[in-house]
Amino acid sequence: MTFTIEPIKPTAAQSGVDFGAMIHDLDLEKLTDHDFEKLEEAVYTYQVVVIRNQSHVQPKTQYEITKRFEPEVDTYGHGAQHRAKESVIARDLSPLPEVPQVQLLGHGLVKNYQGIEERKLTHPHHRVFHKTVMSKEDEEAGKTRFYRWHMDAALYKLNPPKVTSLFGFKNPEPRRQTVVYDDGTDDTLDVQLGTTAFISGQRAFELLPPDLKDLAFRTQVKYAPHPYLWMSKARSRPTGLGMESEGKELTEEELPPIEEEAIKIYPMLWKNPVTKKIHLQVHPAAVQDLIIDGKPLGDLEKVRELLYKMQRPAINPENVFAHEWKDGDMVIFHNRGVLHSVVGSLKDTDIRIFQQCNMASADPPIPVTEEDFAPYRVAA
């Protein structure tokens, strides 16, 4: 008997969430070839697939399943870049000793876990990354922020992973928190403590007005060399969607040696390999320039303003799928089709143990062709 896929049923408040699916009757330790084919298609079709009741699944199995999406490669999605101690992601990840392709992340003191005797984990908090921070009173009242909207990708030397698997072994005691956007709007979102928030790149594209769709099709995105070091002294907008422009990015002289051929330039629009739908897929914090009709914009502040204008509607509360984790959830998501964010302010007493796995891809993203874009073409 094969497993069943249940599309997420959005609430009235999630009117823009048209992605996501749940699977309740699959054991990933007993995955057959036929099961994997169906699972792979589901991940690209639904973008985010939650497989419940997987507490028994071993890290080696998580790695092997993730690698089946990328059989030609065996490099962690960030390569070794996340180990540079100044990198903005260095503090959030550490490899498991026995399966180093799987990263341990979470919060609290973890003991005797998968070959790790003891490790103090810290859930990312906006105070270390955002330009402005919430008051202690607001945090104590249960308010929080999106930490950083991103896709999992080195964006230098290595291609973005096609998928990421995220395993929730242990979650903190459930509490509700309210995400506040703090960007001049009154936008808020009720979430579970420690949720992972997702937005659809397909929805982000579809929300664009015709002129911005056309602009997106004509635009390439140039990512900074060593992007997570480059941005390490800069600070984020309060929504976690891209950076404030204060001139704090590291200069070429402050970065490690730069290999020009390792700098990544991708189209702004990527094509889903299964549905053939168009996704607006940009990691806003890591962008150094936009190349429009072959010409670099050349002004980082303008680049960020344009990206924010294009991407901000996609993170409106009605468009966010904030997954309510249960212990044993394995989430596999189409990393080239969604953006996601850590969310939540955890206390010292909260324990959260998660495992993440992804592989840098052998293939670049699939570009959108003239034929693909023809239905959206603005009449001259």
Side-chain angles (χ1 to χ4, degrees):
M1 184 181 119
T2 189
F3 59 89
T4 50
I5 300 167
E6 300 173 20
I8 297 290
K9 295 181 178 66
T11 65
Q14 295 175 302
S15 58
V17 174
D18 56 0
F19 64 102
M22 290 269 185
I23 297 171
H24 293 271
D25 53 354
L26 176 64
D27 182 347
L28 291 174
E29 287 287 357
K30 299 176 181 176
L31 195 71
T32 66
D33 289 345
H34 175 70
D35 287 340
F36 176 75
E37 287 174 9
K38 186 176 176 183
L39 178 62
E40 183 179 38
E41 183 177 16
V43 170
Y44 291 121
T45 301
Y46 295 99
Q47 314 303 324
V48 179
V49 174
V50 181
I51 306 144
R52 298 229 120 130
N53 307 310
Q54 304 300 309
S55 290
H56 61 293
V57 169
Q58 294 301 304
K60 186 171 184 286
T61 303
Q62 180 181 358
Y63 157 63
E64 288 172 346
I65 291 171
T66 310
K67 184 174 168 55
R68 289 184 77 167
F69 288 86
E70 291 283 3
E72 309 87 7
V73 291
D74 203 29
T75 303
Y76 175 58
H78 280 278
Q81 293 183 57
H82 65 295
R83 297 194 186 101
K85 66 180 187 297
E86 298 87 1
S87 164
V88 300
I89 52 175
R91 54 183 165 253
D92 303 333
L93 301 166
S94 53
L96 294 180
E98 293 169 13
V99 191
Q101 297 89 347
V102 176
Q103 306 289 324
L104 176 67
L105 60 159
H107 190 81
L109 187 63
V110 176
K111 295 184 177 182
N112 301 315
Y113 182 80
Q114 300 295 349
I116 292 175
E117 287 186 19
E118 184 174 300
R119 186 154 300 157
K120 178 79 162 66
L121 302 175
T122 302
H123 187 74
H125 192 287
H126 80 272
R127 78 170 71 90
V128 302
F129 189 61
H130 290 199
K131 180 183 176 183
T132 64
V133 296
M134 288 183 140
S135 68
K136 188 178 178 185
E137 293 74 24
D138 277 350
E139 275 203 42
E140 288 174 350
K143 294 180 180 178
T144 189
R145 285 182 179 176
F146 299 120
Y147 177 66
R148 175 170 63 241
W149 288 102
H150 66 287
M151 57 182 151
D152 294 328
L155 300 168
Y156 179 74
K157 286 190 179 180
L158 303 171
N159 287 317
K162 293 175 183 173
V163 305
T164 290
S165 61
L166 194 56
F167 175 52
F169 180 74
K170 181 173 176 55
N171 291 276
E173 289 296 313
R175 303 194 295 276
R176 305 305 296 181
Q177 291 193 323
T178 301
V179 174
V180 293
Y181 285 58
D182 275 344
D183 64 343
T185 69
D186 294 325
D187 285 349
T188 62
L189 182 69
D190 173 65
V191 298
Q192 175 202 50
L193 176 71
T195 185
T196 305
F198 296 91
I199 59 109
S200 163
Q202 178 188 329
R203 177 80 175 162
F205 170 71
E206 290 168 354
L207 286 168
L208 292 175
D211 60 323
L212 289 183
K213 282 189 176 80
D214 191 68
L215 179 66
F217 180 63
R218 296 184 285 113
T219 299
Q220 291 178 296
V221 179
K222 181 182 180 182
Y223 289 98
H226 307 286
Y228 302 100
L229 287 170
W230 173 77
M231 72 171 82
S232 58
K233 294 181 180 177
R235 288 295 175 260
S236 167
R237 296 175 183 267
T239 53
L241 186 70
M243 311 300 282
E244 299 280 7
S245 296
E246 302 178 280
K248 293 184 176 180
E249 293 73 27
L250 298 193
T251 64
E252 286 193 13
E253 292 72 31
E254 293 173 298
L255 290 171
I258 296 169
E259 302 168 37
E260 287 298 321
E261 65 275 13
I263 291 173
K264 290 299 181 185
I265 299 175
Y266 292 119
M268 185 175 280
L269 302 180
W270 300 359
K271 184 161 68 173
N272 186 306
V274 169
T275 68
K276 310 304 180 187
K277 298 283 189 180
I278 297 173
H279 293 246
L280 173 66
Q281 199 66 15
V282 180
H283 186 324
V287 176
Q288 188 175 45
D289 206 353
L290 296 176
I291 302 168
I292 303 170
D293 294 326
K295 183 180 178 183
L297 193 53
D299 182 322
L300 185 57
E301 186 170 2
K302 287 183 179 177
V303 163
R304 287 172 171 164
E305 287 173 2
L306 179 56
L307 280 176
Y308 198 71
K309 179 181 179 181
M310 297 175 87
Q311 292 185 291
R312 175 60 177 82
I315 69 164
N316 282 353
E318 68 271 15
N319 298 322
V320 177
F321 169 43
H323 175 52
E324 307 236 336
W325 286 96
K326 292 184 178 180
D327 291 356
D329 280 357
M330 181 75 78
V331 173
I332 304 177
F333 60 87
H334 177 205
N335 184 56
R336 295 179 173 192
V338 299
L339 296 185
H340 65 286
S341 178
V342 167
V343 187
S345 305
L346 275 64
K347 298 177 181 176
D348 290 344
T349 52
D350 288 321
I351 302 292
R352 185 179 192 261
I353 304 174
F354 274 51
Q355 296 166 191
Q356 181 219 60
C357 185
N358 54 52
M359 309 285 154
S361 181
D363 309 312
I366 304 170
V368 173
T369 66
E370 288 279 356
E371 184 180 2
D372 298 327
F373 191 73
Y376 304 97
R377 178 70 65 198
V378 177

